[in-house]
């Protein structure tokens, strides 16, 4: 049996440690999101464009242009199959993209700038959106000709004894800043400008539970893949994790719901504020980018201790995302707009190519074995080859049950893979390009390219297209 080409000890590591590459979108990247399979990374820019990177080659797989030019893309959300991508913008619109051909399935104007929009986990034609100075909206696009929008409650659910004089006046400026579906899609969790966390029944559109975390606005909420852990980032410099009950349980009574803060993460020395937060793939770690700082902090949830600070570019980092299956982190640079990637560098084990191969650090005297280089009879070699040819190996069959468990099937019941047209011009890597003026580049020499340590892929090579989509091929960076 073949040995793994990578060191198993290194493969067991679950925290990234080294900056390995940089990507450039078509403009300044402000939001990013991994697909559920982790093979694609979508990036929204301040110019209103969307770039999708193929992480196997770190090349540009597709570009989408549909939002108003110059209006920032606020959020991105994938469906489980990886075929559909939802984007929202401050141009008041949300767009559902079909990555089979790059077309727009539907476009909706929600009547206000959109803070964030998330797809329903089981139905890509339903989304929830938090709007600027307005109530959150549950939008249903299952009927192609009509768009059904239902306004969700802004205000928290208070007990009668909690209602005080002047509450109505204060509630007039109470708005929702973030909203997200639970993994089962039965509830919507929202955060407000007054620090309240609301749990809303998606079927009845009523608030079933509310808790106040702080007096400052809630900036971001993220749920783990299991749906039992909630991560909350508020503007009071404290990151909180909250254990959730099984909200998909039909026996769960709303009156029995009680949420408590599990851990609080903060920098008590420097009093740092946090730009963006995310769970690790298994929710064992919490990650956050810092305001006016270039470090990424990673805490371990079991004891609430800081385990690593990722150092990278000398610029402030904005949105951060953790790969859904492996120790791989992506973050956007606030100043440059590039996407920075951290991972674990695993040196290859050449001994895996032959079980009896031994690696040595320096030259040693080698004594040849008696029969090591004996020539085998040609008939014996031919017999071995024929025996191997008789063995049937099925490399094409796919287990549909496994794909369904992984959420990789789309409506047709087949696994979806985004098509990439390789006859379009390749995206240029910054390893091979050098700036010679404002917006002008020339190709580096081979010697210069080989000296580079980090690969940078330009998602804007060749200029923007006036079409809604532009499909580009990918290529590997120079080793």
């Amino acid at each position: 049996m073949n040995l793994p080409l990578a060191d198993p000890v290194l493969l067991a590591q679950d925290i990234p440690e080294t900056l390995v590459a940089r990507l450039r979108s078509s403009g300044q990247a402000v939001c990013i999101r991994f697909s559920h399979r982790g093979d694609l990374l979508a990036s929204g820019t301040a110019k209103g464009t969307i770039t999708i990177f193929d992480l196997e080659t770190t090349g540009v797989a597709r570009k989408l242009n549909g939002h108003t030019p110059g209006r920032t893309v606020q959020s991105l959300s994938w469906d489980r199959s990886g075929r559909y991508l939802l984007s929202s913008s401050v141009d008041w619109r949300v767009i559902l993209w079909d990555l089979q051909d790059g077309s727009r399935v539907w476009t909706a104007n929600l009547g206000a700038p959109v803070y964030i929009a998330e797809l329903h986990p089981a139905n890509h034609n339903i989304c929830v959106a938090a709007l600027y100075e307005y109530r959150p909206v549950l939008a249903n696009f299952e009927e192609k000709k009509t768009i059904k929008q239902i306004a969700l409650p802004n205000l928290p659910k208070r007990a009668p004894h909690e209602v005080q004089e002047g509450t109505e006046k204060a509630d007039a400026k109470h708005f929702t800043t973030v909203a997200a579906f639970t993994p089962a899609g039965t509830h919507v969790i929202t955060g407000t400008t007054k620090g309240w966390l609301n749990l809303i029944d998606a079927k009845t559109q009523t608030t079933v539970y509310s808790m106040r975390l702080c007096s400052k606005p809630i900036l971001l909420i993220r749920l783990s893949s299991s749906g039992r852990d909630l991560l909350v980032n508020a503007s009071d410099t404290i990151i909180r994790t909250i254990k959730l009950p099984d909200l998909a349980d039909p026996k769960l009574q709303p009156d029995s719901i009680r949420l408590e803060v599990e851990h609080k993460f903060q920098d008590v020395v420097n009093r740092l504020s946090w730009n963006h937060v995310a769970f690790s793939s298994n929710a064992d770690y919490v990650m956050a980018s810092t305001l006016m700082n270039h470090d990424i902090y990673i805490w371990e949830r079991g004891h609430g201790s800081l385990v690593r600070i990722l150092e990278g570019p000398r610029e402030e980092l904005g949105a951060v995302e953790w790969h859904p299956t492996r120790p791989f982190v992506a973050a956007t640079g606030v100043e440059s707009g590039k996407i920075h990637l951290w991972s674990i560098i695993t040196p290859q084990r050449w001994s895996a190519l032959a079980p009896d191969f031994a690696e040595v650090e320096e030259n040693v005297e080698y004594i040849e074995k008696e029969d090591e280089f004996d020539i085998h009879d040609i008939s014996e070699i031919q017999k071995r080859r024929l025996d191997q040819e008789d063995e049937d190996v099925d490399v094409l069959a796919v287990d549909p049950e496994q794909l369904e468990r992984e959420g990789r099937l789309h409506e047709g019941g087949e696994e979806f893979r985004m098509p990439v047209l390789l006859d379009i011009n390749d995206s240029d890597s910054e390893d091979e390009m050098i700036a010679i003026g404002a917006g002008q580049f020339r190709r580096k020499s081979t010697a210069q390219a080989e000296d580079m340590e980090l690969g940078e892929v330009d998602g804007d090579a060749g200029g923007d297209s006036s079409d809604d989509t532009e499909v580009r091929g990918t290529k590997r960076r120079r080793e």
Side-chain angles (χ1 to χ4, degrees):
M1 183 176 179
N2 293 335
L3 296 174
L5 190 58
D7 191 343
V9 176
L10 293 175
L11 290 178
Q13 296 183 20
D14 52 0
I15 303 178
E17 56 187 13
T18 307
L19 182 66
V20 296
R22 297 187 184 95
L23 309 175
R24 287 202 308 171
S25 298
S26 303
Q28 184 177 15
V30 293
C31 62
I32 51 177
R33 204 71 180 268
F34 286 105
S35 63
H36 289 275
R37 289 173 52 190
D39 56 338
L40 300 173
L41 175 66
S43 165
T45 70
K47 293 171 55 179
T49 61
I50 299 169
T51 304
I52 299 176
F53 293 94
D54 180 358
L55 293 180
E56 290 296 325
T57 61
T58 63
V60 178
R62 192 179 291 273
K63 292 177 64 179
L64 307 172
N65 296 317
H67 288 287
T68 303
R71 298 296 183 93
T72 303
V73 176
Q74 288 287 89
S75 68
L76 299 165
S77 177
W78 292 85
D79 83 315
R80 292 195 60 83
S81 70
R83 175 171 178 174
Y84 300 100
L85 177 70
L86 181 74
S87 62
S88 67
S89 171
V90 294
D91 66 356
W92 301 13
R93 294 190 294 173
V94 291
I95 301 177
L96 182 68
W97 304 91
D98 185 351
L99 300 184
Q100 177 69 38
D101 54 6
S103 62
R104 286 180 251 178
V105 180
W106 44 257
T107 302
N109 188 323
L110 299 183
V114 184
Y115 280 132
I116 189 171
E118 291 282 342
L119 281 176
H120 190 281
N123 189 340
H124 63 266
N125 285 313
I126 299 176
C127 76
V128 63
L131 308 180
Y132 177 72
E133 293 189 350
Y134 193 66
R135 297 169 63 184
V137 171
L138 186 66
N140 190 324
F141 305 88
E142 291 181 304
E143 297 182 8
K144 301 299 182 181
K145 295 183 179 180
T146 59
I147 300 174
K148 186 178 180 181
Q149 299 186 34
I150 302 174
L152 300 178
N154 250 336
L155 304 180
K157 181 181 180 181
R158 294 188 177 96
H161 67 276
E162 294 177 340
V163 179
Q164 302 175 357
E165 185 177 352
T167 301
E168 295 183 359
K169 184 177 180 180
D171 287 345
K173 296 183 179 180
H174 204 132
F175 302 108
T176 298
T177 53
V178 287
F181 278 108
T182 57
T186 56
H187 294 78
V188 175
I189 300 177
T190 64
T192 73
T193 55
K194 300 294 184 179
W196 283 86
L197 202 65
N198 298 325
L199 184 62
I200 302 173
D201 190 311
K203 186 175 181 180
T204 62
Q205 293 89 45
T206 58
T207 302
V208 296
Y209 181 80
S210 297
M211 68 178 298
R212 190 170 192 179
L213 297 179
C214 60
S215 60
K216 301 288 186 178
I218 293 179
L219 305 177
L220 183 67
I221 57 175
R222 300 298 295 271
L223 285 98
S224 62
S225 57
S226 65
R228 302 303 295 272
D229 304 285
L230 179 67
L231 184 63
V232 182
N233 179 30
S235 57
D236 63 349
T237 73
I238 299 177
I239 301 171
R240 298 169 175 86
T241 56
I242 300 173
K243 278 287 187 181
L244 298 178
D246 185 4
L247 298 174
D249 186 359
K251 297 181 181 179
L252 180 67
Q253 298 296 325
D255 295 337
S256 65
I257 298 177
R258 294 293 182 272
L259 303 184
E260 294 183 359
V261 175
E262 177 190 36
H263 288 297
K264 293 182 179 181
F265 304 98
Q266 59 183 322
D267 188 329
V268 296
V269 177
N270 301 316
R271 304 293 297 176
L272 294 174
S273 297
W274 314 104
N275 283 336
H276 202 274
V277 295
F279 273 127
S280 63
S281 54
N282 53 10
D284 288 342
Y285 300 96
V286 170
M287 174 181 63
S289 60
T290 54
L291 179 67
M292 304 297 292
N293 197 291
H294 58 269
D295 294 331
I296 294 178
Y297 283 59
I298 299 178
W299 295 272
E300 191 265 337
R301 286 185 59 203
H303 301 88
S305 58
L306 180 67
V307 293
R308 181 160 299 173
I309 298 178
L310 294 181
E311 297 182 357
R314 297 297 176 181
E315 66 171 329
E316 181 182 348
L317 299 175
V320 292
E321 291 290 333
W322 196 300
H323 193 276
T325 59
R326 56 192 177 97
F328 187 84
V329 167
T332 61
V334 173
E335 299 173 10
S336 66
K338 296 178 182 178
I339 302 171
H340 306 278
L341 307 177
W342 286 262
S343 185
I344 297 174
I345 298 179
T346 55
Q348 292 181 338
R349 300 172 64 223
W350 296 106
S351 59
L353 302 177
D356 57 349
F357 183 86
E359 297 182 12
V360 294
E361 297 181 357
E362 58 183 10
N363 292 335
V364 296
E365 183 179 357
Y366 180 74
I367 300 176
E368 176 186 344
K369 297 178 182 179
E370 181 178 355
D371 60 346
E372 183 172 2
F373 297 106
D374 289 352
I375 299 177
H376 296 281
D377 185 75
I378 188 67
S379 59
E380 182 180 352
I381 297 176
Q382 183 68 16
K383 183 177 181 300
R384 293 178 182 176
R385 184 181 296 113
L386 292 176
D387 291 341
Q388 293 176 352
E389 291 177 355
D390 292 339
E391 182 180 355
D392 294 331
V393 180
D394 187 359
V395 297
L396 300 178
V398 179
D399 183 4
E401 294 182 358
Q402 176 68 17
L403 295 178
E404 186 175 1
R405 287 193 298 269
E406 297 176 359
R408 293 164 59 179
L409 298 181
H410 59 81
E411 292 177 352
E414 300 177 354
E415 181 184 11
F416 173 76
R417 289 188 179 276
M418 187 177 70
V420 177
L421 302 182
L422 299 178
D423 57 344
I424 306 296
N425 293 332
D426 287 349
S427 60
D428 290 324
S429 169
E430 273 198 10
D431 281 359
E432 303 173 0
M433 305 298 292
I434 185 171
I436 59 175
Q440 297 179 345
F441 299 86
R442 67 172 174 82
R443 194 169 296 276
K444 294 180 181 178
S445 65
T446 303
Q448 287 176 312
E450 292 176 348
D451 289 339
M452 297 291 289
E453 295 180 356
L454 296 178
E456 290 193 17
V457 177
D458 184 0
D460 199 20
D464 292 335
S465 171
S466 58
D467 298 333
D468 282 347
T469 63
E470 178 180 349
V471 184
R472 295 181 180 235
T474 63
K475 69 176 183 181
R476 300 185 183 274
R477 72 177 180 87
R478 190 184 305 277
E479 296 294 333

